[in-house]
């Protein structure tokens, strides 16, 4: 499976795990990298000191290339990107901000940089800033997906960009991998498929719940954290999506725990939040509530109070294997899909020099 992505990152298979904050921990990252893909650490808004420890832990678990994802607009996002640069992480993935300074520094030590995008303008801007690749997050994706579906976004970006495109959203098996490559992508990034594994950190109840869901069982709304976001359809996520006004007192009390978790002094967190303006303040309040519910997902089996991001591909997931097993299966399924396509083409014509020539009669 030699593609632009395998060559760019020096990996065996063009498969990445999504850098999911509070989900893609070192054991998941190392497992993906050891299986031939590119494991990506989800730094999210985590404590930068913890991020540095995670990076060093990954290096103790694998000698293969790996990456880190830092959403720049989140608290600690910029600081985590700086840590990644200081630790000379091979691949840095950024989103929600301008990352030209990341590109400049990473390239000095031979690192690669990719930006997560969900439309053409953002992708072109990332290329102009010197990014080595983009992750095209289609509407089907978990978390902060865009309005354009993967089936349209990927081939459009392949048309307008000179750098490789990585497809994300709606992909959970080898058929999806082959489809993404056919659309012009150099590889795929998967989140939901990788957290529904033995290495996934969620409570077992949540993994079992994922197996019950179909492709329509997700919710997409800006009311989760102020930015259009896709979450698993649960009682808690439905309540939050339908809540116009949050409980300010509850958010205030929760802010102390969040400040401790992020290792940000509470007055600093409040000052930063208030400086964002009314609209962003509401977004941060919603994000606070979502973080609280995600903690429940990670630590308890309470399906009524917890909440987690999930892509539409959850309906394509029917078991909870190890990541090594997922990778082996993806490759086998991709090879099977290629053979199936070859048979379908040969039945209607003969392939000559890359063109399909209709058989006589």
């Amino acid at each position: 499976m030699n593609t632009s992505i395998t060559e760019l990152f020096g990996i065996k298979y063009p498969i990445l795990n999504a850098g999911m904050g509070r989900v893609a921990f070192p054991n998941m990252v190392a497992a993906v990298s050891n299986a031939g893909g590119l494991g990506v650490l989800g730094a999210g808004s985590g404590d930068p000191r913890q991020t540095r420890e995670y990076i060093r832990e990954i290096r103790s678990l694998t000698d293969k290339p790996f990456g880190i994802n830092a959403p720049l607009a989140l608290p600690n996002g910029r600081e985590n990107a700086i840590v990644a640069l200081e630790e000379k992480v091979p691949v840095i993935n950024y989103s929600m901000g301008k990352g030209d300074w990341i590109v400049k520094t990473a390239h000095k030590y031979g690192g690669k940089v990719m930006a997560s995008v969900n439309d053409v303008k953002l992708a072109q801007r990332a290329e102009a800033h010197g990014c080595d690749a983009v992750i095209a997050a289609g509407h089907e994706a978990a978390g902060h997906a865009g309005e354009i579906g993967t089936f349209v976004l990927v081939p459009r970006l392949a048309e307008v960009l000179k750098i490789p495109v990585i497809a994300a959203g709606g992909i959970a098996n080898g058929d999806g991998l082959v489809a993404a490559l056919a659309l012009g992508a150099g590889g795929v990034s998967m989140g939901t498929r990788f957290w529904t594994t033995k290495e996934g950190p969620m409570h077992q109840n949540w993994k079992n719940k994922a197996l019950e869901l179909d492709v329509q069982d997700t919710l997409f709304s800006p009311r989760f954290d102020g930015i259009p976001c896709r979450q698993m359809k649960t009682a808690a996520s439905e309540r939050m999506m339908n809540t116009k006004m949050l409980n300010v007192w509850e958010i205030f009390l929760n802010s102390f725990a969040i400040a401790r978790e992020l290792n940000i002094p509470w007055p600093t967190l409040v000052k930063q939040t208030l400086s964002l303006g009314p609209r962003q303040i509401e977004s941060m309040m919603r994000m606070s509530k979502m973080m609280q519910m995600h903690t429940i997902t990670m630590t308890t089996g309470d399906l009524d109070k917890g909440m987690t991001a999930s892509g539409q591909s959850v309906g394509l997931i029917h078991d909870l294997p190890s990541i090594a097993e997922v990778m082996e299966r993806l490759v086998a399924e991709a090879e099977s899909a290629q053979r199936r396509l070859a048979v379908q083409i040969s039945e209607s014509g003969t392939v000559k020099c890359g063109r399909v020539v209709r058989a006589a009669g």
Side-chain angles (χ1 to χ4, degrees):
M1 285 186 133
N2 293 320
T3 73
S4 57
I5 291 301
T6 60
E7 293 178 3
L8 178 65
F9 298 143
I11 55 180
K12 187 175 181 180
Y13 302 122
I15 301 168
L16 292 67
N17 71 271
M20 302 166 281
R22 297 157 63 93
V23 175
F25 291 124
N27 64 323
M28 177 182 291
V29 176
V32 173
S33 290
N34 285 331
L38 183 77
V40 183
L41 174 68
S45 57
D47 181 352
R49 295 179 303 178
Q50 182 70 75
T51 297
R52 195 182 300 275
E53 292 178 8
Y54 283 156
I55 292 170
R56 294 176 180 179
E57 182 180 350
I58 292 168
R59 285 197 162 114
S60 74
L61 297 172
T62 184
D63 59 356
K64 302 294 193 298
F66 69 96
I68 182 173
N69 178 34
L72 301 180
L74 297 185
N76 286 332
R78 184 180 179 87
E79 290 76 9
N80 280 323
I82 291 172
V83 168
L85 292 169
E86 291 174 346
E87 293 291 322
K88 294 182 170 57
V89 173
V91 182
I92 298 178
N93 173 207
Y94 74 86
S95 61
M96 303 170 72
K98 185 179 180 181
D100 53 344
W101 57 279
I102 298 175
V103 174
K104 183 178 179 181
T105 305
H107 284 178
K108 287 181 180 179
Y109 65 78
K112 305 299 182 183
V113 180
M114 52 187 181
S116 294
V117 301
N118 54 31
D119 65 31
V120 175
K121 290 184 179 179
L122 286 175
Q124 291 176 318
R125 195 176 306 159
E127 183 176 50
H129 289 162
C131 283
D132 301 286
V134 296
I135 298 178
H139 186 64
E140 303 93 325
H144 299 118
E147 297 181 354
I148 308 170
T150 303
F151 209 81
V152 175
L153 182 60
V154 170
R156 179 55 181 152
L157 294 188
E159 281 184 339
V160 302
L161 301 181
K162 295 180 180 179
I163 59 177
V165 177
I166 300 165
I171 303 166
N173 52 36
D175 290 355
L177 170 57
V178 171
L181 297 179
L183 291 172
V188 299
S189 175
M190 299 183 296
T192 305
R193 173 66 278 188
F194 278 120
W195 74 252
T196 51
T197 58
K198 293 178 181 178
E199 292 87 347
M202 279 78 160
H203 189 282
Q204 189 65 34
N205 286 6
W206 288 91
K207 297 181 188 180
N208 294 340
K209 177 66 175 178
L211 301 183
E212 301 173 6
L213 304 180
D214 213 326
V215 294
Q216 72 273 6
D217 294 323
T218 65
L219 301 174
F220 188 69
S221 172
R223 288 187 174 173
F224 296 125
D225 65 355
I227 304 172
C229 182
R230 188 175 301 283
Q231 296 284 318
M232 179 187 286
K233 187 176 182 180
T234 65
S237 59
E238 287 190 285
R239 285 195 301 269
M240 190 166 182
M241 187 178 73
N242 294 322
T243 299
K244 295 182 179 180
M245 295 295 293
L246 295 177
N247 186 324
V248 177
W249 176 245
E250 180 184 356
I251 299 297
F252 170 75
L253 294 177
N254 189 42
S255 67
F256 293 96
I258 291 176
R260 287 194 299 271
E261 180 179 343
L262 303 182
N263 192 34
I264 297 175
W266 185 82
T268 301
L269 180 64
V270 173
K271 183 179 179 180
Q272 290 177 351
T273 301
L274 293 177
S275 68
L276 297 174
R279 185 173 181 178
Q280 287 298 97
I281 290 174
E282 181 183 0
S283 296
M284 293 298 290
M285 290 172 62
R286 289 186 176 276
M287 187 180 297
S288 167
K289 180 66 175 177
M290 188 170 70
M291 288 175 63
Q292 180 185 24
M293 288 192 284
H294 189 263
T295 298
I296 294 174
T297 304
M298 301 294 287
T299 58
T300 80
D302 193 333
L303 297 174
D304 182 66
K305 296 180 180 179
M307 170 175 165
T308 189
S310 174
Q312 292 179 338
S313 63
V314 70
L316 303 175
I317 294 169
H318 312 299
D319 61 359
L320 303 171
S322 68
I323 284 177
E325 291 169 333
V326 167
M327 293 290 284
E328 291 175 2
R329 185 187 304 171
L330 286 166
V331 175
E333 290 172 344
E335 292 173 345
S336 176
Q338 289 175 312
R339 290 192 295 269
R340 186 170 68 250
L341 288 172
V343 170
Q344 291 174 338
I345 291 174
S346 65
E347 288 177 349
S348 58
T350 303
V351 178
K352 292 184 178 180
C353 298
R355 296 189 306 165
V356 177
V357 181
R358 294 294 174 186

